[in-house]
C-alpha cells in the first residue's frame, strides 16, 4: 500500500510538471510559500555585481548552441525558437543586467486578456488587463488579440506578473498608464505605451482585497516606485505627459532593454531627488535601446546609485543624452551617439550642478563609445574608482555592432509559427 501511494504521488507530480502550466520548481516553491508580495531586502551592490557576472557567464555557456548569432544576448536566448508561443515563459530566463532576476509570472498560470475595456477601476471585470494585474498569485498575462487599452485610472500592478504582448498588437494609450509601486518581479514585454495622461483623485483597486484613494499621477508611461527586480523589454514608448520610464524611491535591480523611445522631452528619470539618499543603492542597466527621433533630454537623468548604459543607439538629442546630479556612478560603454547639427547640442553629458569642484568628483566614464557628428562625452572622477565595478552589469559589444543590436528595438512582429 505504501508503495502504491508513493507511485501515485510520483505520477501526479510528473503529469503536473509535464502537462500543466507550472514547472516542477513552481510546485515546490508554491508549497513553500515563496511567492508573496513582500518587498525584498536591499542587496549589497558588490554582491549584486558579482552575481551578475556569474549569471552572464552561465548564460553564455547555456546558449552556446542556441544563439541566432545576432549578438544581442537577450534575443539570442529565445527568438530562435519556432515554438516560442508554447514556450513563452522561456523569456523569464533571458534577462541580463541588474534586472536579471526578474521572473515575473514564470511560476504562475497563463491569464488571457479578452476584453480591452477598463470599466470600473475599483471592481475590474474578469478578462480585463486591470483584473489580471491586481491578482495576488503569479500570472503570465497574454492577449487574445490586438487591443487598444485606454485606462480610466493608473494600472497598479501586483507582484510576480508578466505582461507579454508577443504575437499581437497591444497599445496602452490615451489615459493613465502603468504604475509599479512597492512590488517585486515584474516583466513588461512587447507593448506600445504612448500618450499617457495624468489621472487620479479617485478610488483604485491594487489587489483583490484592497482599494484606496489615489492622488493625481504624473502621466508616466511606466512609473517604478519603491520596487525591485523589474524588466522592461521590447516596448515602444512615446509622447507621455511626464516621463516615459521613471524609477524612484529606492527602486533597484532594474533592466531597461530593447525598447524604442521617440517624440518626448524628459525621457527617463532614475532617482527621486538629490536629498533622497535611499536611492544610493539603485542599480539600473540600460541596454540595446534605440533613443530615436524627437527626444530632448534625460536618456537617462540619474541621481545617486549605479547606472550601466551599454550598446544603445542615440539619434540626435536636442539638449543632452545622459545627465545627472547627486554623485551617481555612470558607465557608458559601446554606445553609438549621433549628435544633431545644432552646434549647442553636441555634448552627450550634462551635470545638474554648476560647480566643477563638485561634479568633477562624480564617477562618469565613457569606454568604447562611438561619437558621430561632433558628439562628445565629458568624463569625471577617478579612472580606477572602487565604485565602477558596482555599475558594470554585462559585457559591452563593439559600437560598430549597435545598429544591428538595436535594429529590432520596440515590439517585435511575432506571427504564426515562425521564429519571432
Amino acid at each position: 500500500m505504501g508503495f502504491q501511494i508513493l507511485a501515485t504521488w510520483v505520477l501526479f507530480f510528473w503529469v503536473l510538471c509535464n502537462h500543466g502550466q507550472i514547472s516542477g520548481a513552481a510546485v515546490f516553491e508554491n508549497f513553500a510559500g515563496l511567492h508573496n508580495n513582500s518587498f525584498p531586502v536591499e542587496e549589497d551592490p558588490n554582491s549584486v555585481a558579482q552575481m551578475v557576472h556569474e549569471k552572464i557567464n552561465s548564460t553564455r555557456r547555456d546558449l552556446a548552441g542556441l544563439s541566432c548569432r545576432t549578438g544581442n544576448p537577450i534575443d539570442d536566448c529565445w527568438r530562435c525558437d519556432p515554438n516560442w508561443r508554447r514556450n513563452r515563459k522561456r523569456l523569464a530566463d533571458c534577462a541580463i543586467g541588474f534586472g536579471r532576476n526578474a521572473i515575473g509570472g514564470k511560476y504562475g498560470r497563463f491569464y488571457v486578456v479578452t476584453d480591452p475595456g477598463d470599466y470600473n477601476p475599483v471592481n475590474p471585470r474578469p478578462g480585463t488587463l486591470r483584473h489580471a494585474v491586481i491578482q495576488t498569485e503569479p500570472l503570465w498575462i497574454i492577449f487574445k488579440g490586438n487591443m487598444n487599452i485606454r485606462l480610466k485610472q493608473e494600472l497598479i500592478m501586483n507582484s510576480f506578473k508578466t505582461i507579454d504582448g508577443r504575437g499581437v498588437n497591444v497599445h496602452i494609450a490615451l489615459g493613465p498608464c502603468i504604475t509599479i509601486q512597492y512590488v517585486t518581479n515584474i516583466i513588461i514585454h512587447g507593448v506600445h505605451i504612448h500618450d499617457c495622461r495624468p489621472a487620479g483623485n479617485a478610488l483604485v483597486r491594487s489587489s483583490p482585497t484592497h482599494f484606496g484613494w489615489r492622488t493625481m499621477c504624473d502621466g508616466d508611461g511606466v512609473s517604478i516606485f519603491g520596487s525591485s527586480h523589474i524588466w522592461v523589454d521590447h516596448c515602444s514608448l512615446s509622447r507621455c505627459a511626464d516621463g516615459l520610464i521613471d524609477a524612484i524611491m529606492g527602486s533597484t535591480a532594474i533592466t531597461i532593454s530593447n525598447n524604442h523611445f521617440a517624440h518626448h522631452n524628459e525621457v527617463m528619470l532614475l532617482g527621486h531627488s538629490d536629498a533622497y539618499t535611499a536611492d544610493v543603492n539603485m542599480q539600473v542597466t540600460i541596454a540595446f535601446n534605440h533613443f530615436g527621433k524627437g527626444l530632448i533630454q534625460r536618456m537617462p537623468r540619474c541621481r545617486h546609485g549605479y547606472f550601466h548604459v551599454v550598446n544603445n543607439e542615440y539619434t540626435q538629442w536636442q539638449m543632452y543624452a545622459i545627465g545627472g546630479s547627486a554623485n551617481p556612478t555612470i558607465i557608458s560603454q559601446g554606445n553609438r551617439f549621433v549628435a544633431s547639427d545644432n552646434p549647442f547640442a553636441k555634448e552627450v553629458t550634462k551635470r545638474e550642478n554648476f560647480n566643477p569642484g563638485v561634479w568633477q568628483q562624480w564617477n562618469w566614464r565613457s569606454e568604447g563609445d562611438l561619437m558621430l557628428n561632433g558628439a562628445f562625452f565629458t568624463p569625471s572622477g577617478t579612472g580606477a574608482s572602487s565604485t565602477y565595478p558596482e555599475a558594470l552589469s554585462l559585457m559591452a559589444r563593439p559600437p560598430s555592432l549597435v545598429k544591428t543590436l538595436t535594429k529590432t528595438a520596440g515590439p517585435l512582429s511575432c506571427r504564426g509559427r515562425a521564429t519571432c
Side-chain angles (χ1 to χ4, degrees), residues 76-124:
D76 289 355
C77 177
W78 68 271
R79 287 185 62 187
C80 309
D81 185 2
N83 295 315
W84 62 268
R85 289 179 183 270
R86 183 178 301 173
N87 302 321
R88 283 180 179 271
K89 292 182 181 180
R90 178 175 174 80
L91 178 68
D93 300 323
C94 298
I96 61 173
F98 292 124
R100 74 208 177 280
N101 288 329
I103 61 172
K106 177 181 179 180
Y107 295 127
R109 61 186 175 91
F110 286 99
Y111 186 115
V112 181
V113 176
T114 58
D115 187 341
D118 187 30
Y119 308 98
N120 187 334
V122 176
N123 295 300

Side-chain angles (χ1 to χ4, degrees), residues 208-231:
T209 58
H210 178 267
F211 64 88
W213 184 260
R214 301 290 296 184
T215 58
M216 293 293 291
C217 66
D218 294 331
D220 295 331
V222 179
S223 175
I224 306 169
F225 189 106
S227 297
S228 66
H229 304 299
I230 311 299
W231 183 24

Side-chain angles (χ1 to χ4, degrees), residues 19-309:
H19 297 281
Q21 292 189 348
I22 57 176
S23 67
V27 173
F28 293 104
E29 290 184 6
N30 281 321
F31 281 165
L34 295 181
H35 294 309
N36 56 54
N37 292 328
S38 60
F39 187 68
V41 177
E42 195 170 70
E43 296 180 89
D44 174 68
N46 288 291
S47 299
V48 171
Q50 179 62 31
M51 291 170 64
V52 167
H53 290 298
E54 291 174 357
K55 175 67 178 295
I56 291 168
N57 290 334
S58 174
T59 301
R60 287 198 192 101
R61 290 192 296 270
D62 293 344
L63 301 178
L66 296 175
S67 173
C68 290
R69 303 185 186 278
T70 68
N72 184 319
I74 297 171
D75 289 355
D76 289 355
C77 177
W78 68 271
R79 287 185 62 187
C80 309
D81 185 2
N83 295 315
W84 62 268
R85 289 179 183 270
R86 183 178 301 173
N87 302 321
R88 283 180 179 271
K89 292 182 181 180
R90 178 175 174 80
L91 178 68
D93 300 323
C94 298
I96 61 173
F98 292 124
R100 74 208 177 280
N101 288 329
I103 61 172
K106 177 181 179 180
Y107 295 127
R109 61 186 175 91
F110 286 99
Y111 186 115
V112 181
V113 176
T114 58
D115 187 341
D118 187 30
Y119 308 98
N120 187 334
V122 176
N123 295 300
R125 183 180 297 180
T128 62
L129 179 59
R130 186 179 299 277
H131 184 266
V133 302
I134 66 168
Q135 302 305 310
T136 55
E137 63 178 305
L139 291 173
W140 196 279
I141 302 164
I142 59 178
F143 299 84
K144 183 177 181 179
N146 298 339
M147 293 187 184
N148 294 315
I149 298 173
R150 185 173 184 173
L151 299 165
K152 291 184 175 179
Q153 298 294 336
E154 58 188 315
L155 188 75
I156 303 176
M157 297 193 66
N158 214 332
S159 293
F160 294 99
K161 301 291 181 293
T162 298
I163 298 177
D164 180 358
R166 286 176 294 177
V168 290
N169 192 3
V170 175
H171 291 252
I172 300 174
L174 301 173
C177 291
I178 299 173
T179 295
I180 302 170
Q181 182 171 342
Y182 296 129
V183 294
T184 184
N185 282 280
I186 300 293
I187 299 173
I188 302 174
H189 181 99
V191 295
H192 302 265
I193 303 167
H194 58 92
D195 297 287
C196 301
R197 299 291 178 258
N201 292 331
L203 294 171
V204 182
R205 185 168 294 278
S206 58
S207 78
T209 58
H210 178 267
F211 64 88
W213 184 260
R214 301 290 296 184
T215 58
M216 293 293 291
C217 66
D218 294 331
D220 295 331
V222 179
S223 175
I224 306 169
F225 189 106
S227 297
S228 66
H229 304 299
I230 311 299
W231 183 24
V232 182
D233 186 55
H234 274 296
C235 295
S236 69
L237 300 103
S238 62
R239 297 185 302 269
C240 292
D242 194 39
L244 296 182
I245 299 178
D246 284 1
I248 62 172
M249 301 299 289
S251 297
T252 191
I254 299 167
T255 293
I256 300 167
S257 58
N258 293 310
N259 301 292
H260 186 267
F261 301 92
H263 305 294
H264 195 78
N265 179 8
E266 298 175 337
V267 177
M268 192 183 307
L269 174 66
L270 305 176
H272 178 62
S273 69
D274 289 3
Y276 192 78
T277 56
D279 283 329
V280 70
N281 289 321
M282 179 181 286
Q283 291 182 304
V284 181
T285 299
I286 301 168
F288 313 127
N289 301 286
H290 183 189
F291 294 93
K293 295 181 179 180
L295 299 178
I296 298 176
Q297 60 180 319
R298 297 189 176 185
M299 297 169 252
R301 191 255 199 251
C302 309
R303 292 185 173 107
H304 308 290
Y306 307 92
F307 307 94
H308 194 192
V309 184

Side-chain angles (χ1 to χ4, degrees), residues 315-319 338-346 372-375:
T315 304
Q316 300 184 353
W317 56 92
Q318 297 179 34
M319 287 181 61
V338 184
S340 71
D341 292 332
N342 181 354
F344 302 103
K346 299 293 187 182
L372 299 173
N373 200 32

